[in-house]
Amino acid sequence: MTKTILALLISYSLLSCAELQQVANQFPELNQTGQLDIAGGLKEALNNGISKQVSKLTAMDGFYKNEAVKILMPEELQKVDKALRKIGLSSLADDGIKMLNRAAEDAVKESTPIFVDAVKQMSFTDAKNILMGNESSATTYLQTTTSTPLYAKFNPVIKNSFAKVGADKVWNNIISKYNSIPLVKKVNPDLTDYTTNKALEGVYKMIAVEEKNIRTNLNSRTSTLLQKVFALQDKK
């Protein structure tokens, strides 16, 4: 995904003659390929980037079997997890964790249009600063520009997903079982908010992995455009 973002930040700044001339002056290497070739190449990069990172998280077990982003019980429920396992309800605890991850996998399917829109809104200054920034500049830009709309999109999807995959019933059972244990402090967590935020963390973490890769690994620059753009970064 970030392979796309970091390349698109050049393409989408080419929307006016004045900006085109500015890009040509700042990045003479790009002037040789022409505006249409840049746009076509970056659309292909967008498809490849989405397929490589964001789509991974939307697949079955995209979160659940990826240790880098797997969603565990929230901190306040760690005691719930331990208590359930002590009384022989390990499978129930495992089901609860799996349901959180299933909901996140479902929600991330809604992210692509928001990322694409964020890229379209990048100014030339944004693009130059990101390209010449640190290894997570693009990821930071996306967090700043997409966190609020992504939360608004993810939250209702996760809420509906809980119902669709039966997570609401599983978690009601988990909470009821735990709260029925003598002398424990009863809990009633907001799992929709928790899972929404964890899903966002997972998306940005995977984007950051891809961004670092394209900035540091020459072999990951699989098109002429990427090679030319990031050659500028290499020279900074």
Side-chain angles (χ1 to χ4, degrees):
M1 179 67 187
T2 304
K3 185 180 298 183
T4 299
I5 301 303
L6 293 168
L8 279 173
L9 50 81
I10 300 298
S11 177
Y12 282 110
S13 64
L14 302 179
L15 297 179
S16 71
C17 292
E19 285 186 314
L20 177 59
Q21 186 58 51
Q22 189 178 20
V23 171
N25 292 338
Q26 293 286 335
F27 301 108
E29 292 90 339
L30 297 179
N31 197 37
Q32 299 171 10
T33 61
Q35 184 177 355
L36 293 177
D37 288 340
I38 290 173
L42 294 178
K43 286 179 181 179
E44 180 180 351
L46 174 61
N47 291 331
N48 291 343
I50 292 171
S51 175
K52 186 168 185 179
Q53 290 300 346
V54 177
S55 292
K56 283 182 182 178
L57 297 178
T58 68
M60 178 72 74
D61 293 326
F63 273 84
Y64 187 63
K65 290 189 176 179
N66 182 341
E67 292 302 320
V69 297
K70 182 178 180 179
I71 301 173
L72 303 176
M73 284 193 184
E75 185 175 351
E76 66 180 299
L77 293 186
Q78 294 297 323
K79 57 187 178 183
V80 176
D81 185 272
K82 292 177 181 177
L84 291 176
R85 296 181 191 282
K86 283 182 179 179
I87 61 175
L89 294 176
S90 296
S91 61
L92 183 59
D94 291 337
D95 284 344
I97 292 172
K98 183 178 292 186
M99 294 301 182
L100 298 181
N101 287 273
R102 289 287 178 267
E105 291 156 11
D106 210 23
V108 172
K109 296 172 185 175
E110 305 291 326
S111 65
T112 299
I114 293 174
F115 282 133
V116 172
D117 186 61
V119 174
K120 288 181 179 179
Q121 301 306 317
M122 281 183 180
S123 68
F124 177 80
T125 300
D126 289 330
K128 187 172 69 170
N129 289 341
I130 291 168
L131 181 63
M132 297 303 178
N134 61 38
E135 65 181 22
S136 62
S137 291
T139 304
T140 299
Y141 174 85
L142 284 178
Q143 282 184 285
T144 301
T145 56
T146 66
S147 289
T148 298
L150 279 180
Y151 184 97
K153 182 70 74 171
F154 281 15
N155 195 261
V157 173
I158 285 173
K159 185 175 182 179
N160 291 334
S161 279
F162 280 163
K164 183 174 70 176
V165 302
D168 50 350
K169 294 179 181 178
V170 170
W171 274 97
N172 283 338
N173 191 19
I174 287 173
I175 299 302
S176 296
K177 293 285 188 184
Y178 177 76
N179 286 341
S180 68
I181 299 174
L183 303 180
V184 301
K185 182 179 179 180
K186 291 179 171 44
V187 296
N188 185 29
D190 184 349
L191 289 172
T192 302
D193 176 73
Y194 171 77
T195 306
T196 300
N197 284 311
K198 285 299 181 180
L200 289 172
E201 285 180 22
V203 168
Y204 295 127
K205 184 175 288 188
M206 295 304 291
I207 290 172
V209 168
E210 184 64 17
E211 177 176 6
K212 182 177 180 180
N213 184 46
I214 195 172
R215 285 184 182 273
T216 59
N217 182 1
L218 294 178
N219 292 330
S220 70
R221 303 173 188 177
T222 56
S223 72
T224 300
L225 177 61
L226 291 175
Q227 291 165 7
K228 288 185 175 182
V229 169
F230 287 96
L232 299 175
Q233 173 215 257
D234 296 341
K235 297 173 185 176
K236 71 178 180 179

